[in-house]
Amino acid sequence: MFAVPDPQPTPRNSDMSPYLKLLGQIFLRVAIVVAIGLICGAPFGHPALGALLLLIPYVLLQMRQLVRLRAWLMAPKRYFLPDAHGIWGEVFDLLIDLQRKNRKRKKRLALMLAEFQSSTAALPDGAVVLGDRGEISWFNTAARQLLGLRAPQDLGIRIPNLIRHPSFTEFFEQGDFEHETEAPSPLNRTRMLSLRIIPYGNDQKLLIVRDISERRQLEAARRDFVSNASHELRTPLTVLRGYLDLMDAEAQQAGPLGAWQSPIVEMRNQALRMEALVNDMLKLARLEADRAAMTDELLPAPALIARAIEEARAVSKGQHRFEHDISDGLLLLGGEAEFHSIIINLMTNAVRYTPPGGVIRVSWSQLDDGSARFAVADTGIGISADDIPRLTERFYRVDVGRSRASGGTGLGLSIVKHALEAFDSRLEIDSEPGVGSTFFCRFPVHRVQVAPGAAPAAIPNETRSGA
């Protein structure tokens, strides 16, 4: 159905009554002046001349009042409205009343602005008001301390000219302000700042600056603790597993430890699980610490994916059917260890949470815009929409009992997330409980290359199939 536009509102008679009344008064006054002139000019035989002689001074008086009104409108502080009677008196009184109301409104707005500035000045976060081109209009004390801004020297200067860090420059020029960016302080390069821009009003923007140096230090301390603790656990675990391997051999069949076969097997499995957890913790700590230190090399992605599929088959032990659609010649720029962590964790995750007899589909394709997409789809138990946003958190488990029984450490998707960040990519998840899940990794164009002579088939960006 077509939308019918709302008709324009028509003025009511009551709305027009003041104007008609005023117009009537003007005509009445002019008629009275003309009538008096006619009466005065009739004894002399020139009634029209009498009317004209009275009408001219009346018109000149109205023009004088009009000139006074214009002068007051142009310079209200220099001129004043005179006392007048009749219509002009009403007009002047209304203007003076309007001026008084505007002054009160202006004082109220000035008070609100002063309160806003004083409250904003007390914030621990920096606040900078920017114009449509990014020029600085106002900033608080915290912004002065964090960014080194000066008043009035920096007012009117574009903010990218003062924060000369590539990450912030690219963030500001792209105009995508849904997320925040990070950059060192212009005053102290060891001080890390979080920068967020909030558009508002008529092409204005509010820049929020937050000091996250302490948070970064705490994260570094946490990473160091996890890394050191994992290293310290690795040696005793290796020794423990070595002895358990020897005991397991002695417990087989009619060995001297045959009565302890079941406990030894359980202890050995738990040691293996703990060793896997320590390895994942070390891998995650390395990815967090050395995200920017990844060595970029041209990876034969199809061959690496094919090898990972064989590793996943070994984990599956023939209980699942694997299908794959891999575009030959579609190469990737990045680190081999990071890429292997991505693909093997997604595949083994699909094996763990897909019942025997299920299907796991792996695809590696190029999209229409030149980017590449790696996808793993399964026919497993699926994930509810409430759990999807938290899947990449460390040790988060949808079903704790099932996760432990499957041998998962709870760090696989966290490793995938941080490894993808090194590729300037992110993880996307589509899932439906009881139907299955699909995990997508989209790699940007600057990370994708096509081998000479190869032409991988491109698929539309909106296609969501995992096959």
Side-chain angles (χ1 to χ4, degrees), residues 286-296 334-335 338 421-422 447:
R286 181 182 63 81
L287 287 172
E288 290 179 328
D290 302 331
R291 185 183 307 170
M294 182 182 70
T295 303
D296 288 343
E338 289 79 4
E421 289 177 355
R447 293 263 176 202

Side-chain angles (χ1 to χ4, degrees), residues 77-117:
K77 294 183 179 181
R78 182 177 179 184
Y79 300 96
F80 62 92
L81 292 174
D83 293 333
H85 301 283
I87 296 176
W88 285 108
E90 295 179 9
V91 172
F92 292 163
D93 291 341
L94 289 173
L95 289 174
I96 292 174
D97 185 58
L98 182 61
Q99 183 187 45
R100 189 181 301 112
K101 292 180 179 178
N102 286 336
R103 285 176 179 172
K104 291 182 179 179
R105 188 180 296 109
K106 186 176 180 180
K107 289 182 180 179
R108 188 162 55 251
L109 291 175
L111 180 61
M112 292 174 59
L113 180 60
E115 291 178 352
F116 167 76
Q117 291 181 349

Side-chain angles (χ1 to χ4, degrees), residues 140-153:
N140 65 351
T141 304
R144 182 184 295 109
Q145 297 172 350
L146 294 173
L147 300 176
L149 300 180
R150 302 167 299 169
Q153 297 93 324

Side-chain angles (χ1 to χ4, degrees), residues 12-336:
R12 299 180 180 178
N13 295 334
S14 59
D15 297 335
M16 296 296 294
S17 58
Y19 304 101
L20 296 176
K21 182 179 179 180
L22 179 61
L23 189 61
Q25 292 179 1
I26 293 174
F27 277 112
L28 180 60
R29 290 177 180 272
V30 173
I32 292 174
V33 171
V34 172
I36 294 174
L38 291 174
I39 295 172
C40 293
F44 301 98
H46 298 285
L49 181 60
L52 182 62
L53 290 176
L54 284 182
L55 191 60
I56 290 175
Y58 179 79
V59 173
L60 292 176
L61 179 62
Q62 307 307 315
M63 293 182 64
R64 180 169 177 254
Q65 299 288 37
L66 186 61
V67 169
R68 287 181 173 182
L69 176 60
R70 183 182 182 277
W72 180 82
L73 291 174
M74 296 295 294
K77 294 183 179 181
R78 182 177 179 184
Y79 300 96
F80 62 92
L81 292 174
D83 293 333
H85 301 283
I87 296 176
W88 285 108
E90 295 179 9
V91 172
F92 292 163
D93 291 341
L94 289 173
L95 289 174
I96 292 174
D97 185 58
L98 182 61
Q99 183 187 45
R100 189 181 301 112
K101 292 180 179 178
N102 286 336
R103 285 176 179 172
K104 291 182 179 179
R105 188 180 296 109
K106 186 176 180 180
K107 289 182 180 179
R108 188 162 55 251
L109 291 175
L111 180 61
M112 292 174 59
L113 180 60
E115 291 178 352
F116 167 76
Q117 291 181 349
S118 62
S119 60
T120 308
L123 290 175
D125 297 338
V128 184
V129 178
L130 306 175
D132 57 348
R133 295 178 54 254
E135 64 275 13
I136 299 175
S137 301
W138 176 86
F139 53 86
N140 65 351
T141 304
R144 182 184 295 109
Q145 297 172 350
L146 294 173
L147 300 176
L149 300 180
R150 302 167 299 169
Q153 297 93 324
D154 293 335
L155 296 178
I157 298 179
R158 297 182 73 246
I159 194 66
N161 296 336
L162 299 176
I163 307 178
R164 296 178 174 272
H165 193 270
S167 62
F168 179 76
T169 302
E170 182 181 2
F171 168 74
F172 187 84
E173 296 300 332
Q174 286 180 350
D176 183 10
F177 302 135
E178 293 185 3
H179 306 281
E180 59 186 29
T181 187
E182 297 178 2
S185 170
L187 295 178
N188 186 357
R189 290 293 173 180
T190 62
R191 198 175 189 180
M192 186 60 63
L193 304 178
S194 171
L195 305 163
R196 184 176 183 86
I197 292 180
I198 305 173
Y200 74 98
N202 188 17
D203 292 333
Q204 289 183 302
K205 303 175 184 68
L206 179 64
L207 172 63
I208 302 296
V209 186
R210 179 172 298 173
D211 189 351
I212 57 173
S213 303
E214 184 177 353
R215 189 176 74 185
R216 286 286 175 266
Q217 293 172 0
L218 291 175
E219 290 178 354
R222 177 186 57 79
R223 287 196 301 267
D224 292 341
F225 170 77
V226 170
S227 179
N228 294 334
S230 300
H231 276 294
E232 293 299 326
L233 286 172
R234 208 169 190 178
T235 301
L237 275 176
T238 302
V239 175
L240 181 62
R241 205 190 68 165
Y243 279 113
L244 287 172
D245 288 342
L246 292 175
M247 295 173 66
D248 184 55
E250 296 293 333
Q252 298 296 327
Q253 296 178 354
L257 298 177
W260 290 84
Q261 181 178 6
S262 179
I264 291 174
V265 170
E266 180 63 23
M267 286 188 291
R268 184 172 179 273
N269 290 338
Q270 292 301 323
L272 288 173
R273 181 173 176 272
M274 194 168 184
E275 187 177 21
L277 176 61
V278 169
N279 291 334
D280 282 351
M281 290 172 65
L282 284 171
K283 186 181 298 182
L284 185 57
R286 181 182 63 81
L287 287 172
E288 290 179 328
D290 302 331
R291 185 183 307 170
M294 182 182 70
T295 303
D296 288 343
E297 54 182 313
L298 196 59
L299 304 177
L304 295 177
I305 294 173
R307 186 170 59 188
I309 291 176
E310 294 306 315
E311 295 179 20
R313 288 183 192 273
V315 175
S316 171
K317 299 179 181 180
Q319 296 181 353
H320 305 88
R321 187 174 83 251
F322 283 80
E323 300 177 358
H324 58 83
D325 181 11
I326 302 174
S327 297
D328 295 329
L330 186 59
L331 311 180
L332 189 66
L333 191 65
E336 181 175 347

Side-chain angles (χ1 to χ4, degrees), residues 384-398:
S384 67
D386 294 336
D387 292 316
I388 289 179
R390 300 191 59 189
L391 284 181
T392 55
E393 295 180 8
R394 299 174 183 85
F395 301 109
Y396 181 77
R397 302 173 186 272
V398 177

